[in-house]
Amino acid sequence: MGSEAVVEKPRRRTESKALRRQQLIDSTIDSIAKRGFAETTLADVAAGAGLSRGIVNFHFESKEQLLIETLRHLSEEYRRNWQKALDRAGKSPIEGLLALIDADFDPAVCNRKKVAVWYAFWGEAKSRPTYLKLCADRDEAYSQMMRAMIADLVQEGPYPGVDPDLVVTGIAAMTDGLWLDVLLTPKTADRKQSIACVRLFLSGLFPRHLKQDGSLVTDPERSAP
Amino acid sequence: MGSEAVVEKPRRRTESKALRRQQLIDSTIDSIAKRGFAETTLADVAAGAGLSRGIVNFHFESKEQLLIETLRHLSEEYRRNWQKALDRAGKSPIEGLLALIDADFDPAVCNRKKVAVWYAFWGEAKSRPTYLKLCADRDEAYSQMMRAMIADLVQEGPYPGVDPDLVVTGIAAMTDGLWLDVLLTPKTADRKQSIACVRLFLSGLFPRHLKQDGSLVTDPERSAP
Amino acid sequence: MGSEAVVEKPRRRTESKALRRQQLIDSTIDSIAKRGFAETTLADVAAGAGLSRGIVNFHFESKEQLLIETLRHLSEEYRRNWQKALDRAGKSPIEGLLALIDADFDPAVCNRKKVAVWYAFWGEAKSRPTYLKLCADRDEAYSQMMRAMIADLVQEGPYPGVDPDLVVTGIAAMTDGLWLDVLLTPKTADRKQSIACVRLFLSGLFPRHLKQDGSLVTDPERSAP
Amino acid sequence: MGSEAVVEKPRRRTESKALRRQQLIDSTIDSIAKRGFAETTLADVAAGAGLSRGIVNFHFESKEQLLIETLRHLSEEYRRNWQKALDRAGKSPIEGLLALIDADFDPAVCNRKKVAVWYAFWGEAKSRPTYLKLCADRDEAYSQMMRAMIADLVQEGPYPGVDPDLVVTGIAAMTDGLWLDVLLTPKTADRKQSIACVRLFLSGLFPRHLKQDGSLVTDPERSAP
DNA sequence: AATGAATGAGCTTTCATTCAT
DNA sequence: GATGAATGAAAGCTCATTCAT
């Protein structure tokens, strides 16, 4: 993580196209994180992958196409990460919700390099419709999945008067904003604190499921008060 | 707001330096919002301001300096906006807090153009230390001010077990994330809903001050429960 | 003729070298006619022949060599065309001359595609000595053959004061110029008119052999005046 | 003629735009004649004009635009040349016609450099609609002007049975073809011979005006036969 | 014999910066 | 102060050529 792709051994000239594309996407992510979006050149990307200058236009149509594929890759990786977390989590809504939140701060997706790249794409989204669409789609997939979960939780509570849509919007927003802290103040932002932060706010809304310290309310307790 | 700067009348060749600088900064904001950070050129900026090509290097040291001044201007505008809101607000912590939140979604600072530019700078922050510093400072100023307010609120509650730092982090994060919605899904994100969203989460933490529907608890009620 | 070479059936990997070379030359002619000389790439040529990218450098030394062979092929085809016409023509000088002129506007050599390619090579001739030589040789072969024919005609007339060399130069020039009309104004230039044009000019010089309407003077008439 | 533009003196940085454009067009003509169309790069053109690399895209939109303007310039120069010749010529049709033919072989327009460039453009005409249009227009202007002249001559003769359109086509074609000789065999092609060639063919069609040796028939003679 | 991934030189183009006016 | 022509470095991209397979 964070280092330029290094050529360990003189690699065979012909590798599978998919592998080459992945190498180039990885190098693109490295470069955007390191140099920024505006300063990333195809020469940087090629050099980072230990390949020759013309390679990108060979495997991708253009620089723009490479960037789009990079964003697509990032999106896919993000989606797979929370999907996997959900698969592993307990069946109850609150367990699923917490798994999802943990996943958002999993070092695999939430590290300074990846976050920097996400912000780079968001930063260009307004002026590039394709990015806008891909970013909006990512959020939409995440939100849809979480909405059902929160709705169940509200019913289970029950928590009358809590609008699930508003909760989803808030959690998703808080996550993105906490990522910004990872980017801007990496010293003070850390996984544990970020998760605690989200749980604190949730505990206020869902006291029958979550204590203020972020720990889960066990069923016997819940039935009691 | 939102349109390229237009030259209404043949302006006098000699205007004050400050005015020229402001014109160029405004045009820079317009261009970043319209074309994106990476695609903004000095020619665009000059043309947007109705001025000649060489003008930027005359009034600013370089393109980089113009961008830095633009970010500084944006930061300053943001700070003045919440400062003004605070000055106008009631003296109690909860009133101040709500005023602050409202200010964050004031159309003057939270519109798609300005938000796009903020994200553009955040997107470049990792690779440009100066931006990083300016962005972190903006957040720090905001957080410091809010921290005192939340601390008072927690004491006033009292809300034992609520960590003011965590609350500040969460609100600030949620705000930034809600801005992203303005950028990515302008159709569905609006001021009223954003404010409602933040208040909902606050109501969970500070029930003696804020009802779930986001309205203020009046003092007599509070003394009751 | 006129369309890109199409691969009808999965061809055997091993075809005779000569056939491959011919395929590539045909594809080169198609590409130059379609895209122009400057825009013709080896990838175009290979794709047009339904073959792989590296093929040209395999069957020809280089792109330049392919182009030279293409010009050579064109020259050869042109020469064979008038040769064949002469073989078929009557033995008299005027019959030979008319056969030659007809041959120059035979659709096999004088169609918009082929003419475009000829002009493409002429267009590059000044800066490429090899092209210059090949083009000059083509003209020389044609002129030499025609010179003898005209000389006979002049003697047969007799047409004292008509310089055969000048006549040859003029006819050859008119032919090339009429080809340009095929290239530039294909709508109005056609075989019949082109032939009529050349014959009109010849009728003025050789009135004992050719009438103003382009038809042949029969022997009995000729003896008369 | 024929040599690269040379920088005689350290020229002032700011020259009129028109002058710069002309310099670049001249350099383009030099380069196409020297290196050919396909091998002419903007770097060559800029260097030939003694200017910096980026200059062409500054004064012309693109390379293609420069080439189009070059062709336009060439066309204009050609038209002005025969126009001027006509203005100077005697009023009679035959005098005008001969002046026109002389003009076509005037060293100002018919020299190896210029002819090479004309052929370069003709060589690319099929695949570039703009060139095609410009070239066709050039021919059309020339033909229209000459058609009237020939029609008068035919009437004056009278030369019943001579189709003026066919004569115009033939003369124009012969001219273009004789230019090709200047390009391909500069040693043997010269102004005097080219003019003699055209006149020879005309003398056959218009014997009351032109003798076989190319000299003019004086009026008294004409009335005689 | 044939393929097509890979190379890298060189192209057009862009653009921050300079500077004579 | 302000202009905009000019510069030249560096970008994205093209493509002839090479070569492992």
Side-chain angles (χ1 to χ4, degrees):
Chain A
M1 184 180 83
S3 67
E4 294 276 311
V6 176
V7 186
E8 290 96 7
K9 44 181 175 184
R11 73 182 69 241
R12 283 163 305 159
R13 265 176 64 107
T14 303
E15 307 243 358
S16 84
K17 286 196 98 138
L19 181 52
R20 275 278 179 271
R21 287 171 64 94
Q22 192 53 53
Q23 272 185 288
L24 291 167
I25 286 173
D26 289 343
S27 179
T28 303
I29 291 172
D30 286 343
S31 179
I32 293 176
K34 184 171 163 190
R35 276 173 281 257
F37 197 94
E39 300 298 315
T40 286
T41 70
L42 292 188
D44 296 330
V45 171
L51 296 169
S52 67
R53 283 195 137 82
I55 198 78
V56 169
N57 294 100
F58 186 80
H59 285 284
F60 296 85
E61 188 88 336
S62 63
K63 183 186 187 184
E64 185 57 23
Q65 204 53 42
L66 168 67
L67 292 170
I68 288 169
E69 297 295 334
T70 299
L71 176 51
R72 219 190 292 279
H73 169 80
L74 227 47
S75 252
E76 199 49 39
E77 180 187 51
Y78 175 73
R79 203 192 52 72
R80 270 200 308 268
N81 187 64
W82 59 250
Q83 190 76 61
K84 204 172 59 188
L86 271 193
D87 294 346
R88 287 209 207 104
K91 293 295 169 222
S92 70
I94 187 67
E95 283 171 316
L97 183 56
L98 294 185
L100 212 59
I101 291 162
D102 282 3
D104 274 338
F105 300 100
D106 184 327
V109 296
C110 175
N111 55 70
R112 198 157 180 243
K113 182 174 83 170
K114 291 273 170 66
V115 165
V117 180
W118 271 112
Y119 268 83
F121 279 107
W122 287 334
E124 290 286 320
K126 176 158 186 291
S127 49
R128 311 208 195 185
T130 310
Y131 297 2
L132 194 65
K133 178 75 167 57
L134 285 169
C135 291
D137 285 352
R138 181 203 99 141
D139 280 11
E140 181 56 21
Y142 179 89
S143 295
Q144 268 188 6
M145 180 275 317
M146 191 184 258
R147 192 173 300 122
M149 206 166 281
I150 304 272
D152 287 351
L153 191 65
V154 165
Q155 204 167 20
E156 188 179 294
Y159 302 106
V162 172
D163 176 359
D165 279 330
L166 227 44
V167 177
V168 170
T169 299
I171 295 178
M174 199 179 288
T175 299
D176 295 338
L178 288 167
W179 279 20
L180 182 58
D181 293 341
V182 171
L183 180 57
L184 297 183
T185 52
K187 295 268 167 59
T188 62
D190 76 328
R191 172 176 162 74
K192 253 170 83 176
Q193 198 211 331
S194 296
I195 291 174
C197 180
V198 180
R199 289 195 182 195
L200 170 63
F201 279 80
L202 286 176
S203 73
L205 292 180
F206 306 119
R208 285 184 227 278
H209 290 85
L210 219 48
K211 298 187 216 164
Q212 222 168 39
D213 66 2
S215 64
L216 219 59
V217 173
T218 53
D219 283 350
E221 292 179 71
R222 197 184 310 155
S223 52
Chain B
M1 188 180 73
S3 65
E4 296 275 311
V6 175
V7 186
E8 289 96 7
K9 47 181 174 183
R11 69 182 74 248
R12 284 163 307 164
R13 268 176 64 109
T14 305
E15 306 240 2
S16 82
K17 278 194 101 118
L19 181 51
R20 276 274 180 272
R21 289 171 62 96
Q22 192 51 53
Q23 272 184 290
L24 290 168
I25 286 173
D26 288 343
S27 179
T28 303
I29 290 172
D30 286 341
S31 179
I32 293 176
K34 185 172 163 190
R35 276 173 282 257
F37 198 94
E39 301 298 313
T40 287
T41 70
L42 290 189
D44 295 329
V45 171
L51 297 170
S52 67
R53 285 196 135 82
I55 197 80
V56 170
N57 293 96
F58 189 82
H59 284 284
F60 295 86
E61 186 89 335
S62 63
K63 184 186 187 184
E64 186 56 24
Q65 204 51 43
L66 167 66
L67 291 171
I68 288 169
E69 296 296 336
T70 299
L71 176 52
R72 218 189 293 278
H73 168 81
L74 225 48
S75 254
E76 199 48 41
E77 180 188 50
Y78 176 74
R79 203 193 51 71
R80 271 200 308 267
N81 187 63
W82 60 250
Q83 190 74 63
K84 203 173 57 186
L86 272 192
D87 294 346
R88 289 207 205 107
K91 293 297 169 218
S92 70
I94 187 68
E95 283 172 317
L97 183 56
L98 294 184
L100 212 59
I101 291 162
D102 282 3
D104 273 338
F105 300 101
D106 184 327
V109 296
C110 174
N111 56 71
R112 196 152 182 247
K113 182 174 85 170
K114 290 274 170 65
V115 166
V117 180
W118 271 113
Y119 268 83
F121 279 107
W122 287 335
E124 290 288 318
K126 177 159 186 292
S127 49
R128 311 208 195 185
T130 311
Y131 297 2
L132 194 64
K133 180 72 165 58
L134 285 168
C135 291
D137 286 354
R138 181 203 99 139
D139 280 9
E140 182 55 20
Y142 179 89
S143 294
Q144 268 187 9
M145 180 276 317
M146 192 184 258
R147 192 172 301 121
M149 208 168 282
I150 303 273
D152 287 352
L153 192 65
V154 164
Q155 205 165 22
E156 189 180 294
Y159 302 106
V162 172
D163 175 358
D165 279 330
L166 226 43
V167 177
V168 170
T169 299
I171 294 178
M174 199 178 289
T175 299
D176 295 338
L178 287 167
W179 279 21
L180 182 58
D181 293 341
V182 171
L183 181 57
L184 298 184
T185 52
K187 296 264 167 63
T188 62
D190 77 326
R191 171 174 162 77
K192 252 170 83 176
Q193 199 211 326
S194 296
I195 291 174
C197 182
V198 180
R199 289 196 181 193
L200 171 63
F201 278 80
L202 286 176
S203 74
L205 293 180
F206 306 120
R208 286 184 225 278
H209 291 86
L210 218 47
K211 298 186 214 161
Q212 221 170 37
D213 66 2
S215 64
L216 259 167
V217 174
T218 54
D219 282 350
E221 293 179 71
R222 197 183 310 153
S223 52
Chain C
M1 187 179 77
S3 65
E4 294 276 312
V6 174
V7 186
E8 288 95 8
K9 46 182 175 183
R11 70 183 71 246
R12 285 163 305 164
R13 268 175 65 109
T14 306
E15 305 238 3
S16 82
K17 279 192 100 116
L19 181 53
R20 276 276 180 274
R21 288 170 63 96
Q22 191 53 50
Q23 273 184 289
L24 291 168
I25 286 173
D26 289 343
S27 180
T28 303
I29 290 172
D30 285 342
S31 180
I32 293 175
K34 186 172 161 189
R35 276 173 282 259
F37 197 95
E39 300 298 314
T40 286
T41 71
L42 291 189
D44 294 330
V45 171
L51 296 170
S52 67
R53 284 194 134 83
I55 198 79
V56 170
N57 293 96
F58 189 82
H59 283 284
F60 296 85
E61 186 89 335
S62 65
K63 184 186 186 182
E64 187 55 25
Q65 205 52 42
L66 167 67
L67 291 171
I68 288 169
E69 297 296 336
T70 298
L71 176 51
R72 220 191 290 279
H73 169 81
L74 225 49
S75 254
E76 199 48 42
E77 181 187 51
Y78 176 73
R79 202 192 51 71
R80 270 201 308 269
N81 187 64
W82 58 251
Q83 190 73 64
K84 204 172 58 186
L86 272 193
D87 294 347
R88 288 208 205 107
K91 294 294 170 220
S92 70
I94 186 67
E95 284 172 318
L97 183 57
L98 294 185
L100 212 60
I101 291 161
D102 282 3
D104 273 339
F105 299 100
D106 184 327
V109 297
C110 174
N111 55 71
R112 197 153 182 248
K113 182 175 85 171
K114 291 273 170 64
V115 166
V117 180
W118 271 112
Y119 268 83
F121 278 106
W122 287 334
E124 289 289 319
K126 177 160 185 292
S127 49
R128 311 209 195 183
T130 311
Y131 298 1
L132 194 65
K133 181 71 167 57
L134 284 169
C135 291
D137 285 353
R138 181 203 97 139
D139 280 9
E140 182 56 20
Y142 179 89
S143 294
Q144 268 187 6
M145 179 277 315
M146 192 185 259
R147 192 171 302 119
M149 207 167 281
I150 303 271
D152 286 352
L153 192 65
V154 164
Q155 205 165 21
E156 189 181 294
Y159 302 107
V162 172
D163 175 356
D165 278 331
L166 226 45
V167 177
V168 169
T169 299
I171 294 178
M174 199 179 288
T175 299
D176 295 338
L178 288 168
W179 279 20
L180 182 59
D181 293 341
V182 171
L183 181 57
L184 297 184
T185 52
K187 295 265 167 62
T188 61
D190 76 325
R191 170 176 164 75
K192 252 169 85 175
Q193 198 211 329
S194 295
I195 291 174
C197 182
V198 180
R199 289 195 182 195
L200 171 63
F201 279 81
L202 286 177
S203 73
L205 293 180
F206 306 121
R208 285 185 226 278
H209 290 84
L210 219 47
K211 298 188 215 161
Q212 221 169 39
D213 66 2
S215 65
L216 219 59
V217 173
T218 54
D219 283 348
E221 293 178 69
R222 195 184 310 153
S223 53
Chain D
M1 183 180 84
S3 67
E4 295 276 311
V6 175
V7 186
E8 288 96 8
K9 45 182 175 182
R11 71 182 70 246
R12 285 162 304 159
R13 264 177 65 107
T14 301
E15 307 244 359
S16 83
K17 286 196 99 140
L19 180 53
R20 275 277 180 273
R21 287 171 63 95
Q22 192 53 53
Q23 271 185 287
L24 290 168
I25 285 173
D26 289 343
S27 179
T28 302
I29 290 172
D30 286 343
S31 179
I32 292 176
K34 184 172 162 189
R35 275 173 283 257
F37 197 95
E39 301 298 315
T40 286
T41 72
L42 291 188
D44 295 330
V45 171
L51 297 169
S52 67
R53 283 197 136 79
I55 197 79
V56 170
N57 294 98
F58 185 80
H59 285 284
F60 296 86
E61 189 88 335
S62 62
K63 183 186 187 184
E64 185 57 23
Q65 204 52 42
L66 167 66
L67 292 171
I68 287 168
E69 296 296 334
T70 299
L71 176 52
R72 221 190 291 278
H73 169 80
L74 227 48
S75 252
E76 199 49 40
E77 181 187 49
Y78 176 73
R79 201 192 54 71
R80 270 200 308 268
N81 187 64
W82 59 249
Q83 190 75 62
K84 204 173 58 189
L86 272 194
D87 294 346
R88 289 209 205 103
K91 293 293 170 226
S92 71
I94 187 65
E95 284 171 317
L97 183 57
L98 294 185
L100 212 60
I101 290 162
D102 283 4
D104 273 339
F105 300 99
D106 183 325
V109 296
C110 174
N111 55 71
R112 194 153 183 246
K113 182 174 85 171
K114 290 274 171 66
V115 166
V117 180
W118 271 113
Y119 268 83
F121 278 108
W122 286 334
E124 290 287 319
K126 177 157 184 292
S127 48
R128 312 210 195 183
T130 311
Y131 297 3
L132 194 64
K133 179 73 165 59
L134 286 169
C135 290
D137 285 353
R138 180 203 99 138
D139 280 10
E140 182 55 21
Y142 180 88
S143 294
Q144 267 187 6
M145 177 276 316
M146 191 184 257
R147 191 172 301 123
M149 206 167 282
I150 303 272
D152 286 352
L153 191 65
V154 165
Q155 206 167 18
E156 188 181 295
Y159 303 106
V162 172
D163 175 357
D165 279 330
L166 225 46
V167 177
V168 170
T169 299
I171 295 178
M174 200 178 286
T175 299
D176 295 337
L178 288 166
W179 279 21
L180 182 59
D181 293 341
V182 171
L183 181 57
L184 297 183
T185 52
K187 297 265 166 61
T188 62
D190 77 328
R191 172 176 163 73
K192 253 171 81 177
Q193 198 211 325
S194 296
I195 291 174
C197 181
V198 180
R199 290 195 182 197
L200 171 63
F201 279 80
L202 286 177
S203 73
L205 293 181
F206 306 120
R208 286 184 225 276
H209 290 85
L210 218 49
K211 297 189 215 160
Q212 222 170 39
D213 66 2
S215 64
L216 258 169
V217 174
T218 53
D219 281 351
E221 292 179 71
R222 197 184 309 156
S223 53

